[in-house]
Amino acid sequence: MKKGVMRPGHVQLRVLDLEEAVLHYRDLMGLIETHRDSQGRVYFKAWTEVDKFSVVLREADKPGMDFMAFKVLNNEVLDQLESDLIAYGCEVEQIAAGELDGCGRRVRFVAPSGHNFELFAEKEQTGKWGVSNVNPEAWPRNLKGMKATRFDHCLLYGPNVKECNALFRDVLGFDLAEQVIDPEGNLVGAFITVGMKAHDVAFIDSPEPNQFHHASFFLETWEDVLRAADLISMTDTSIDIGPTRHGLTHGKTIYFFDPSGNRNEVFCGGDYHYPDHEPVTWKAEDLGKAIFYHDRVLNERFLSVLT
Amino acid sequence: MPKVTVSSALQEQSFELNDEDSLLVSSEKAMNKAIPVGCRGGGCGLCKIKILSGEYLSNRMSKAHITEREALQGYALACRIYPLSDLKIEIVETIDKRKKLTRSV
């Protein structure tokens, strides 16, 4: 949190059929539907999150990610980072408070990978869902499906991974926790964090800009990941791969798709990162093991299936 | 049961369609490898085909991969196609695109 960026705040995804997507994110993944706005967008949160929402779905004619946002400490930090981004040469856009219901002013910028990111300082906090903040019980008893606990990170594909890492490091204070280096020494995968997590967002090199690989949600245990896999079969949901383990970050994971083809992950465990840690390196020639630690080969979908 | 015939530069093959399933899932269940399998949700474009003949219903699919003009010409994503009769299709090669995406690894 070197520059005052605290944590991931929200992700807005495009879906082809809104109500079909609501069934997926609410009833299968167990997110809580918290709001619908005048534009028809649907807002969700995971039950351990204090904010009113962390996932927004918008119906559109092509799926993918509209933007991912991070929360910063306060409005002074937001002003400072906005001018820092402009000075760095980023294309920056002001989004007025209330454009997303319950969210304050947002500063949107385009990363060198082509993705839209946002910073904000204020969002309505409704508290953890279903448990009190005083003498809280362990978990609420009426959760659905996979019972996802929090929106954790996104993996994004695009060009200029090195430049993305530099921007997030130098302007926004992120650390490079894990990296993929090709035989020529180029940074082709960057897993970056503002806190102790192995990644808050990750970039993988790909020529086409602004490609969405997945949005990931945290579960507590391996048993929960296995149970998520059972639910994927019970609901005949499109699966990608898993349950398995990643080499990168060492998370235990399953990948699957929402009804519009946006990839989701639920995972548990994984590495941690302190600011004095050297980045963990995986060699691009061993990417199979880096991505799928047990199979040790990539499935073709990991590299080519994007929205 | 309706049948689909897939032609490519190398060969022609056919498999039977299931009533409930999309063209892509029917292909997967028939162990047919001709149509590449991606997200199965009309989003990624990997299973792009051209339908040469036959009747079908289609669900919404990403305009990033099938433009309105292409849809009129019979292009579609196999995961969003529900056949009503025998179909003749050909695979739209996306191999070049995939090679580009894997350039660094």
Side-chain angles (χ1 to χ4, degrees), chain A residues 15-17 20 59-63 157 159 182 188 205-208 238-240 257-261 284 287 298 300-301 303-307, chain B residues 21 25 28-29 36-46 59-66 68 80 95 97-105:
Chain A
V15 296
L16 295 170
D17 181 314
E20 205 177 45
E59 190 166 287
D61 61 14
K62 52 183 175 186
Y157 275 39
D182 77 6
V188 293
D205 180 52
S206 169
E208 200 175 337
S238 177
I239 190 165
D240 186 1
F257 297 99
D258 80 8
S260 307
L287 196 66
L298 284 178
E300 190 175 272
R301 285 196 288 273
L303 288 167
S304 57
V305 175
L306 307 163
T307 54
Chain B
D21 294 323
V25 170
E28 284 188 87
K29 286 186 178 170
V37 180
C39 70
R40 306 183 187 88
C44 75
L46 212 69
N59 278 353
R60 205 168 181 189
M61 53 192 94
S62 176
K63 286 227 169 91
H65 300 292
I66 304 290
E68 274 168 43
R80 306 300 264 185
I95 295 287
K97 187 176 156 197
R98 275 177 272 152
K99 269 191 186 147
K100 257 171 75 187
L101 286 162
T102 58
R103 63 170 180 171
S104 64
V105 289

Side-chain angles (χ1 to χ4, degrees), chain A residues 40-41 80 82 108 127 138-139 149 155 195 214 217 228 269 280 291:
Chain A
R41 292 178 296 187
Q80 182 63 50
E82 180 178 10
R108 186 178 293 173
W139 35 263
T149 68
L155 172 57
H214 71 260
F217 298 83
V280 170
I291 304 297

Side-chain angles (χ1 to χ4, degrees), chain A residues 41-70:
Chain A
R41 292 178 296 187
V42 185
Y43 298 42
F44 300 86
K45 70 182 288 174
W47 75 267
T48 70
E49 294 168 348
V50 298
D51 290 349
K52 181 175 176 171
F53 66 88
S54 60
V55 174
V56 179
L57 300 182
R58 176 172 77 87
E59 190 166 287
D61 61 14
K62 52 183 175 186
M65 185 185 83
D66 280 336
F67 48 78
M68 180 188 178
F70 293 91

Side-chain angles (χ1 to χ4, degrees), chain A residues 200-217:
Chain A
D200 288 312
V201 63
F203 296 97
I204 286 185
D205 180 52
S206 169
E208 200 175 337
N210 196 17
Q211 297 289 296
F212 175 76
H213 190 274
H214 71 260
S216 182
F217 298 83

